[in-house]
């Protein structure tokens, strides 16, 4: 935190994360408490850099966003002000390097960076667990981007203050893995349905939802073992089945939510072809048509070439990246 001419200002950098066991469905919409635990890898690409500057003379927050995105940031700042016991409004400057709203986890890096920068600017002294809880209140998946590498977000139990306290992310132990995640950018336009609305509709109307949420609990246990063993095939198989199951719950929602496009399926065929050729490669998709393919780092170029050709799209090779940090303090 710097104090510039009497103004409190902080800049934070955070990276997106991609869930290998997904978060899909809330048990509390206000506190953003999930129905099941999730696990992700933070990437080393597409950082978000956010500066929060308190302005004692301002009579409103200045945020260069519009509509729903702006109200979510302002509601988040209200929460930070309440926790810090301060009243000044803020100027928020956000630089995203990932296309927003395309299911590429821009809200995860965005709210992780905002949580860290605003906590510092408003003088909240939070440890990583408390920061994770705070980031969760902006966007659930942001709880995991506070940490680098692999992180598990505990659903926790209970409601209200007890539920809030119990739901945070923390790093998970991994050994002997040197993974890459190849991002196939089949479509970077904004999605038609926000993940927030799609989640709600799935929980409320999909007859498949409960079965997936239950199996996700088992996936998390299996995933933790596979990561500790450094077994990329097991990690990939669990991630792929968990993601396909999540999309199945959405397809069964009423009306259906379908994020997967023809190009998504072409990439999935490319992933199967790689496996037939003996290259371990496994796919996962979020609230959008883009595909992320988990593989060994040594195979990443070959995987990128294959899935890029299959989807006729650009690719970006990501590796495990750092947790959120204040600029100048990694
Ligand atoms: O944090 P949100 O509300 O953007 O939800 C993210 C949901 C998924 O990306 C689809 C899954 C996940 O665990 O990140």
């Amino acid at each position: 935190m710097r104090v510039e001419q009497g103004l409190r200002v902080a800049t934070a950098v955070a990276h997106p994360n991609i869930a290998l066991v997904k978060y899909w469905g809330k048990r509390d919409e206000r506190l953003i408490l999930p129905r099941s635990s999730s696990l992700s890898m933070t990437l080393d690409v597409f950082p978000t850099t956010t500066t929060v500057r308190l302005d004692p003379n301002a009579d409103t927050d200045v945020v260069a966003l519009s509509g729903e995105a702006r109200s979510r940031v302002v509601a988040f700042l209200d929460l930070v002000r309440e926790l810090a016991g301060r009243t000044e409004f803020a100027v928020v400057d956000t630089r995203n390097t990932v296309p927003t709203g395309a299911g590429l986890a821009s809200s995860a890096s965005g709210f992780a960076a905002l949580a860290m920068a605003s906590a510092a600017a408003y003088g909240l002294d939070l440890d990583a667990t408390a920061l994770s809880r705070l980031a969760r209140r902006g966007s659930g998946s942001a709880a995991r981007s506070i940490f680098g590498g692999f992180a598990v977000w505990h659903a926790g139990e209970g409601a209200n203050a007890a539920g809030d306290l119990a739901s945070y992310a923390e790093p998970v132990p991994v050994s002997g893995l040197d993974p890459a995640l190849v991002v196939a950018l089949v479509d970077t336009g904004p999605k038609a349905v926000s993940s927030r609305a799609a989640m709600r509709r799935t929980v409320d109307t999909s007859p498949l939802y409960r079965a997936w949420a239950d199996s996700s609990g088992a996936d998390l246990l299996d995933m933790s073992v596979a990561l500790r063993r450094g077994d990329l095939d097991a990690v990939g198989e669990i991630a792929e089945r968990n993601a396909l199951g999540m999309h199945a719950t959405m397809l069964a929602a009423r009306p259906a939510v379908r994020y997967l496009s023809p190009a998504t399926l072409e990439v999935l065929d490319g992933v199967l072809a790689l496996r037939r050729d003996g290259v371990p490669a496994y796919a996962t998709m979020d609230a959008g048509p883009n595909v992320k393919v988990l593989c060994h780092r040594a195979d990443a170029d070959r995987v990128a070439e294959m899935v890029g050709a299959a989807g006729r799209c650009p690719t970006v090779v990501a590796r495990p990246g750092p947790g959120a940090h204040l600029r100048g303090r990694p």
Side-chain angles (χ1 to χ4, degrees):
M1 212 271 307
R2 287 169 289 137
V3 180
E4 261 178 21
Q5 298 164 348
L7 298 182
R8 301 174 67 100
V9 54
T11 297
V13 182
H15 289 74
N17 69 76
I18 297 300
L20 303 177
V21 175
K22 304 291 186 190
Y23 148 56
W24 196 252
K26 298 177 178 62
R27 68 177 196 277
D28 182 315
E29 296 248 349
R30 187 180 64 85
L31 292 173
I32 312 198
L33 298 175
R35 285 177 177 258
S36 59
S37 299
S38 55
L39 187 151
S40 61
M41 182 178 114
T42 298
L43 310 184
D44 66 345
V45 297
F46 302 140
T48 297
T49 305
T50 296
T51 298
V52 174
R53 181 186 304 270
L54 307 202
D55 184 349
N57 303 316
D59 51 11
T60 181
D61 290 313
V62 179
V63 183
L65 290 168
S66 55
E68 153 113 22
R70 181 178 192 281
S71 5
R72 281 176 65 181
V73 169
V74 170
F76 189 84
L77 292 172
D78 284 341
L79 172 66
V80 174
R81 280 188 279 266
E82 190 190 316
L83 293 171
R86 301 185 70 107
T87 53
E88 306 97 308
F89 289 106
V91 180
V92 179
D93 177 61
T94 294
R95 314 255 140 140
N96 259 320
T97 54
V98 57
T100 43
L104 283 171
S106 59
S107 67
S109 54
F111 277 103
L114 182 64
M116 193 162 254
S118 59
Y122 280 99
L124 278 176
D125 187 17
L126 303 181
D127 64 14
T129 306
L131 265 176
S132 173
R133 270 191 213 105
L134 177 63
R136 190 198 78 225
R137 299 286 298 273
S139 189
S141 54
R144 301 183 306 238
S145 272
I146 295 298
F147 300 98
F150 292 81
V152 58
W153 170 21
H154 303 289
E157 281 179 12
N160 305 320
D164 179 36
L165 210 59
S167 190
Y168 56 86
E170 64 180 344
V172 285
V174 174
S175 65
L177 265 192
D178 193 7
L181 209 53
V182 176
V183 184
L185 295 159
V186 304
D187 183 355
T188 53
K191 56 194 163 214
V193 189
S194 71
S195 57
R196 193 161 281 205
M199 248 180 233
R200 187 181 302 139
R201 194 192 299 168
T202 307
V203 172
D204 291 347
T205 71
S206 174
L208 304 191
Y209 179 72
R210 185 167 286 276
W212 174 79
D214 288 347
S215 69
S216 215
D219 284 348
L220 186 77
L221 293 177
D222 292 348
M223 180 64 85
S224 308
V225 173
L227 285 171
R228 222 171 292 128
R229 281 208 321 255
D231 183 344
L232 184 108
D233 285 293
V235 170
E237 273 168 28
I238 298 160
E240 195 172 284
R241 76 183 184 216
N242 188 270
L244 290 170
M246 177 186 76
H247 284 277
T249 68
M250 295 183 218
L251 290 168
R254 297 160 192 191
V257 180
R258 183 172 63 83
Y259 287 120
L260 312 182
S261 72
T264 310
L265 301 184
E266 304 279 3
V267 174
L268 292 181
D269 278 348
V271 169
L272 282 182
L274 279 164
R275 291 216 286 268
R276 272 197 304 272
D277 285 353
V279 181
Y282 301 89
T284 183
M285 292 78 64
D286 294 286
N290 299 302
V291 186
K292 299 95 185 180
V293 184
L294 183 75
C295 61
H296 289 293
R297 193 228 290 236
D299 293 330
D301 288 343
R302 179 162 175 204
V303 169
E305 199 181 318
M306 171 60 145
V307 300
R312 290 176 292 276
C313 65
T315 56
V316 174
V317 175
R319 303 201 54 245
H325 50 273
L326 289 172
R327 168 139 311 153
R329 284 183 255 176

